[in-house]
Every structure is written in C-alpha cells, then in structure tokens.
C-alpha cells in the first residue's frame, strides 16, 4: 500500500480532471486505475492529516483548526489516545515507512513519536521548529530527519523521493505500507531542479513549476513499483490535503485557489487509485462519495488487520467501490 498526498494542490492543476496544466504521470496513473470525481478532505493541512491518520472527523479528534505543533508547542497527536492506520498495519505484519511532511508532533521533544505512531522508518521534514531557523528549509538545503538523524540535503523532495523508492525496493518481497505526504507544492515558492537555471519570476509560474516537479517525482515512484515487479499486488493512492494555493482551471474555466476555504475549491480534491488486484478495469471513473476517513478502514480491510477495541472509526471502506460492487448499502 502506497499513499501519496501532495501538499496544497486541488483538481484544478491535474490535467485528467480538466486542468489546462499538464500532469502526464498522474494522467497515466489514472488511465491505469480509477479516478474519483467526488473525494473530500478538510480545508487545511493538519485537520486533514489527523483525519487521514485516525479515520475520525475533526469534531471527534479535536483538530478543528490548523495547528503547527513544532512552531507553536503543545502535545501534538497523542499516541496514547489515537491509533493510526500505520500502527494497525504494523501489527498485521506490514513494514511501515513515512517520507515527507509530519508537523503534528514536535520531533525534538518527542524523538520516538513516529515509531509510536506506527512507522518503522522515516525520512521527514519535521516542520519549522520555534527557535531553530535552519528547520524552516524544506527545499534547497532542506533540513530533514532520517531515522532520527538530522541532516541538511541538497533538495528535500529529491531525498524523500529516493527514500521512498529505496523503501519499495527493500520491502518488495513482503507486505508494506508507505505513507508519502509530499512537500510540494507548498510555499515558500521558488525554483526546482528542473528550472533553477532560469528561475521563474511570478508566483503563478513558480507554483506551476512545483506541480510539474511533483508530477515527475510521483512518476519516479510509480516506475519503481513497476520495475520491482509488484505492480499487480500494490495499491497506489494519490490525493491532496486541501485545495490549491494558486488559482488554476477546470474544463476551460478559471478556478479559485482553495486552501483554507470551506467551499468546493477548498475541500474537493483529486483522488486516483491504482490497484490491479481489486479494480476490475483500468481507466474507470467513479462518482461514489469518498472522504478522508475512508482510507483507514480500507487499508485495514486489505491488510487483514483489526481496529483496536474501543476506537470509533467514522470512515467507510472503499473496497466495495473499488471492486465495482453495485450494492449502495456497502458504500456511503
């Protein structure tokens, strides 16, 4: 199971959804799998991430506003109160890894937080930590933590992508979960390795460059899965944490930037799933209703895991939807 979540990019920047912006690798993934038309997240970063990891709505888990723990302090996501899907899958025998952005615990003070949350291995940008300006950097000269060792790297997204690919290669012969909450396409905006020689001047062009590079990195990871010979038994999920932070287009019509907005452009996100062992035909689209609490029970069902006693999950497994089951009572 590979869960890819781009940062701050809605449907209006994905060409298979009708955007003028071209994302050929995501389009290819959609042609090989199933594209959802009605998938919904929270309007902003940390409420979406906690909802995704816990399978619970914000009114239940309490993250109803964005809260940047490393910058502002506090307990963060408490593993004594919440059990992530990664913990359940690890208990079911899965190797587990995370590559990308965390931000919902202070990893200076809680050095083992990721392990407690179920991840055996990690390569993460910790989030900007108060009083430590070096931690602000996530792109060029990015400040990352790799299996509890902190280091400055040439370009953060590249290092994380390499980690993800190596994780796939090393665990190709066993069940694994890779959670890949990407750094792109979040501010601060600038250039990427593709356009650093001629850096774009306008914010819109910079954002477009971020999306282009994100699409390239997703393609690298998908290619790694295919090259490892495990495509037929691997689920790849691609989605986003909230709407775009730059205005895009849908079907020839301008589309407002949506990050932080409790309207369609803020919470209506792309969702593409490739799972050849489950989806009956490639290149399908679905209007089945999906939201971010649904990934938790989907992964648990596929892994043969069990939700811990006493934990209420708001989500509904997507397995019936993905497999083409027509029974509406098995869906939302």
């Amino acid at each position: 199971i590979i869960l890819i979540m781009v940062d701050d990019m809605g449907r209006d920047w994905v060409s298979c959804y009708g955007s003028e912006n071209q994302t050929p690798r995501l389009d290819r993934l959609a042609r090989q799998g199933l594209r959802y038309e009605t998938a919904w997240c929270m309007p902003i970063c940390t409420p979406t991430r906690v909802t995704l990891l816990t399978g619970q709505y914000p009114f239940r888990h309490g993250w109803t506003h964005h809260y940047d723990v490393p910058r502002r302090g506090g307990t963060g996501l408490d593993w004594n109160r919440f059990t992530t899907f990664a913990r359940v899958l690890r208990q079911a025998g899965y190797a587990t890894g995370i590559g990308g952005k965390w931000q919902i615990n202070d990893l200076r003070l809680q050095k083992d937080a990721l392990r407690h949350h179920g991840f055996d291995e990690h390569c993460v940008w910790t989030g900007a930590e108060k009083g430590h300006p070096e931690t602000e950097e996530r792109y060029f000269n990015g400040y990352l933590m790799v299996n509890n060792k902190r280091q400055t790297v040439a370009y953060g997204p590249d290092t994380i992508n390499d980690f993800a690919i190596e994780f796939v290669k090393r665990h190709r012969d066993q069940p694994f979960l890779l959670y890949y909450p990407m750094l792109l396409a979040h501010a601060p905006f600038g250039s990427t390795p593709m356009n650093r020689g001629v850096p774009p001047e306008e914010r819109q062009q910079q954002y477009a460059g971020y999306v282009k590079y994100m699409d390239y990195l997703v393609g690298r990871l998908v290619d790694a899965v295919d090259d490892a010979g495990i495509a037929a038994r691997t689920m790849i999920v691609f989605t986003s944490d909230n709407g775009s932070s730059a205005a895009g287009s849908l079907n020839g019509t301008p589309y407002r930037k949506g990050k932080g907005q409790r309207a369609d452009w803020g919470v209506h996100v792309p969702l593409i799933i490739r799972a050849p062992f489950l989806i009956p035909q490639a290149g399908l689209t679905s209007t089945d209703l999906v939201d971010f609490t649904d990934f938790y029970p989907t992964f648990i069902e596929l892994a043969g895991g069990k939700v811990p006693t006493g934990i209420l999950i708001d989500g509904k497994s997507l397995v019936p939807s993905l497999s083409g089951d027509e029974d509406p009572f098995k869906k939302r």
Side-chain angles (χ1 to χ4, degrees):
I1 298 172
I2 299 176
L3 172 57
I4 306 168
M5 184 168 67
V6 66
D7 201 345
D8 287 1
M9 187 204 74
R11 298 171 303 135
D12 50 316
W13 284 86
V14 182
S15 44
C16 64
Y17 278 92
S19 173
E20 295 175 0
N21 182 69
Q22 295 302 302
T23 50
R25 284 85 174 183
L26 292 181
D27 293 357
R28 181 184 66 181
L29 192 66
R31 289 194 302 269
Q32 296 171 341
L34 187 151
R35 179 170 60 87
Y36 279 93
E37 295 283 0
T38 52
W40 309 88
C41 63
M42 306 303 124
I44 197 81
C45 180
T46 53
T48 284
R49 292 166 195 272
V50 176
T51 296
L52 175 71
L53 287 162
T54 65
Q56 296 182 337
Y57 289 132
F59 82 88
R60 203 179 306 281
H61 60 60
W63 293 65
T64 56
H65 295 78
H66 176 69
Y67 192 85
D68 192 339
V69 178
R71 191 190 301 273
R72 301 179 186 175
T75 302
L77 186 62
D78 186 351
W79 52 85
N80 294 311
R81 291 184 57 203
F82 301 102
T83 301
T84 69
F85 59 73
R87 275 173 68 183
V88 180
L89 263 63
R90 185 171 65 185
Q91 291 165 2
Y94 275 59
T96 57
I98 175 175
K101 172 180 171 181
W102 187 247
Q103 202 176 25
I104 50 180
N105 288 97
D106 188 335
L107 298 180
R108 293 170 302 172
L109 306 178
Q110 300 170 309
K111 291 182 172 56
D112 291 328
L114 293 172
R115 181 178 60 82
H116 286 307
H117 284 308
F119 296 103
D120 297 324
E121 304 175 39
H122 64 264
C123 176
V124 297
W125 178 63
T126 64
E129 298 168 345
K130 184 178 181 181
H132 295 266
E134 71 277 10
T135 63
E136 297 275 353
E137 301 300 329
R138 70 184 86 178
Y139 294 126
F140 289 107
N141 299 314
Y143 189 82
L144 303 182
M145 189 171 87
V146 184
N147 294 328
N148 284 332
K149 294 182 180 179
R150 294 184 172 227
Q151 55 190 271
T152 299
V153 302
Y155 189 66
D158 281 352
T159 299
I160 293 168
N161 191 255
D162 288 343
F163 165 86
I165 289 171
E166 287 303 313
F167 183 88
V168 168
K169 290 179 179 179
R170 284 188 288 108
H171 297 289
R172 59 189 290 180
D173 294 325
Q174 67 180 117
F176 69 76
L177 165 73
L178 174 64
Y179 175 40
Y180 186 20
M182 302 183 76
L183 303 185
L184 295 162
H186 196 287
F189 299 120
S191 59
T192 73
M194 281 184 175
N195 59 17
R196 199 176 189 187
V198 186
E201 296 181 1
E202 297 181 359
R203 184 179 186 275
Q204 194 82 355
Q205 294 174 331
Q206 293 170 350
Y207 182 86
Y210 276 18
V211 173
K212 181 177 181 179
Y213 204 75
M214 174 278 302
D215 184 67
Y216 160 73
L217 292 179
V218 170
R220 285 192 76 223
L221 180 57
V222 174
D223 287 345
V225 171
D226 296 347
D227 292 344
I230 58 173
R233 55 190 174 93
T234 301
M235 168 181 277
I236 301 177
V237 179
F238 175 87
T239 190
S240 174
D241 66 338
N242 48 246
S244 303
S245 54
S249 64
L250 276 181
N251 301 313
T253 302
Y255 198 74
R256 294 174 58 176
K257 63 180 181 180
K259 180 177 180 177
Q261 303 299 311
R262 293 173 295 178
D264 186 88
W265 44 84
V267 296
H268 192 175
V269 290
L271 174 59
I272 300 168
I273 300 179
R274 191 184 84 172
F277 61 90
L278 189 60
I279 298 171
Q281 180 183 338
L284 298 175
T285 60
S286 174
T287 56
D288 288 349
L289 181 62
V290 182
D291 75 39
F292 269 40
T293 63
D294 296 336
F295 297 123
Y296 194 119
T298 302
F299 298 157
I300 303 308
E301 180 175 347
L302 290 173
K306 294 183 179 179
V307 177
T309 303
I311 293 181
L312 178 60
I313 301 300
D314 291 309
K316 187 91 169 176
S317 172
L318 295 174
V319 170
S321 174
L322 291 166
S323 61
D325 198 316
E326 296 294 335
D327 185 348
F329 292 99
K330 295 180 181 178
K331 307 176 188 180
R332 286 187 171 275

